[in-house]
Amino acid sequence: MPPALVVLTLALLLGIQPVTTDLYLPALPALTTGFGAPVAHAQLTLTALLLAFGLSQLVLGPLSDRFGRRPVLLWGLAAYVLAAVGAASAPSMTLLIVWRTLQGAAMGAAVMAARAIVRDLYQPAEGARVMSRALTGLGVIACLCAPIGGFVSDLAGWRFAMLVPALFGAAALALIASRFDESLAQRNTNALQIDTLLRTWTTVLRHPTFLAFCALTTASYALLFTFLAASSFVFIQVLGLTKTQYGLVMLWSSLAYIAGTFVCRHWLARHGVRGSVARGAVLTLAGGAAMAGLAMAGIHSTLAIVGPLTLIMLGHGVHQPCGQSGAVGPFPQAAGAASALNGFVMMLAAFGVGGWLGTQLDGSVLPLAYGMGFWSFCVALVAWTLVQKHG
């Protein structure tokens, strides 16, 4: 496949995650009110999706090592489109959570396969650069999600906003069906045998390089998810922004993330993976400390969150490309399984964050600010210790 097609394919497969999680965020308060449900139930539409997303990868990763990336993608994307339509037409909060859970499980096929495809086609150092380009595309998609979600929700209601992911999934499915050539050179016929699977998982989980980069991606995603899960309530209900204004905040954060992926490629050429991760952690910790410090000082405003958030998203644009490619780098024959384990741990952390926020959101900015401050510290700690030693 031409390099441009590979990057486009990866961008669409990875971009399905912000389309699924970010696009409906502006409609989340209205959705909650419409069903007359508590905030904790609304959080489940996101956290249950992400838990299913993480768990499904444990099955889909070995399946893709056994049968190839293409069949797993075709079936997974078809199921995703069906679940997205079901979520948009759900008559109750309970059924909405069920459809979103199925949507998350199907989404696992796209994101897991994208990480594995990078390892199929590239060595780790080049893989980080290719992943950075693909995540730039993800950033562009994420830029559009919240503004489109806010606009569609205001114009036609939250159900239509939740229908947009079905259209995106159908477009990704059409591209895979028509243009994607199988990237796995040699299928592992033993990948689904229980003893082989347990041995593979044990090997991956014992590898210090995997543990270092998995810890980095997990802390980095927990940091991002703290913002995603709490931001619509904080900006709309606490700080009084409109859905459109909130969409612009999300647009700005995505632009900062895109800038971070460009910084990542520049630093990779000069400083390598370890040096890039260490420098990105400076941005992350500065942003997290500033956000928590301003909140502690009683400065509760949009600017007091968005300013530090800019630094955090710049750092996120460095850590995710390096972390995701680094976690699968040592396992060319088990890239699907390694990608699945990395994704599972990330989503397990996100599920925990969502559960915590569901009980802590108290009508102030403090849970958001303190949560992001904590995870920023964790990112920096991992980046300056484990990654430098084992990366």
Side-chain angles (χ1 to χ4, degrees), residues 83-102:
V85 173
S89 57
S92 67
M93 178 64 83
T94 300
L95 284 177
L96 175 60
I97 293 171
V98 170
W99 280 114
R100 290 282 289 176
T101 302
L102 295 174

Side-chain angles (χ1 to χ4, degrees), residues 1 5-20 69-81 84 106-107 109-111 113-114 117 141 163-181:
M1 292 180 291
L5 177 60
V6 173
V7 172
L8 174 62
T9 301
L10 293 174
L12 288 178
L13 294 178
L14 294 167
I16 205 168
Q17 188 170 351
V19 166
T20 309
R69 317 305 180 200
R70 180 181 165 85
V72 170
L73 282 171
L74 291 174
W75 283 100
L77 288 170
Y80 175 88
V81 173
M107 182 175 71
V111 178
I117 288 166
I141 293 169
L163 195 59
V164 176
L167 301 176
F168 185 91
L173 177 60
L175 178 68
I176 295 299
S178 61
R179 300 296 304 278
F180 179 73
D181 297 330

Side-chain angles (χ1 to χ4, degrees), residues 232-290:
S232 60
F233 293 98
V234 169
F235 282 110
I236 295 174
Q237 294 186 344
V238 178
L239 298 177
L241 269 60
T242 65
K243 291 178 184 177
T244 301
Q245 289 171 330
Y246 171 69
L248 292 175
V249 169
M250 297 296 286
L251 171 62
W252 175 256
S253 69
S254 297
L255 288 173
Y257 173 71
I258 291 172
T261 63
F262 281 101
V263 171
C264 178
R265 291 200 289 277
H266 175 71
W267 281 350
L268 281 170
R270 290 193 169 195
H271 308 293
V273 173
R274 293 178 185 174
S276 300
V277 167
R279 287 164 174 79
V282 174
L283 298 172
T284 302
L285 186 58

Side-chain angles (χ1 to χ4, degrees), residues 192-250:
L192 295 177
Q193 294 180 4
I194 296 299
D195 57 339
T196 301
L197 193 55
L198 291 175
R199 187 163 56 249
T200 300
W201 282 347
T202 301
T203 301
V204 171
L205 290 171
R206 286 180 175 176
H207 201 291
T209 299
F210 172 83
L211 293 175
F213 283 114
C214 183
L216 179 68
T217 57
T218 300
S220 181
Y221 189 76
L223 172 60
L224 175 66
F225 186 76
T226 301
F227 176 73
L228 293 178
S231 60
S232 60
F233 293 98
V234 169
F235 282 110
I236 295 174
Q237 294 186 344
V238 178
L239 298 177
L241 269 60
T242 65
K243 291 178 184 177
T244 301
Q245 289 171 330
Y246 171 69
L248 292 175
V249 169
M250 297 296 286

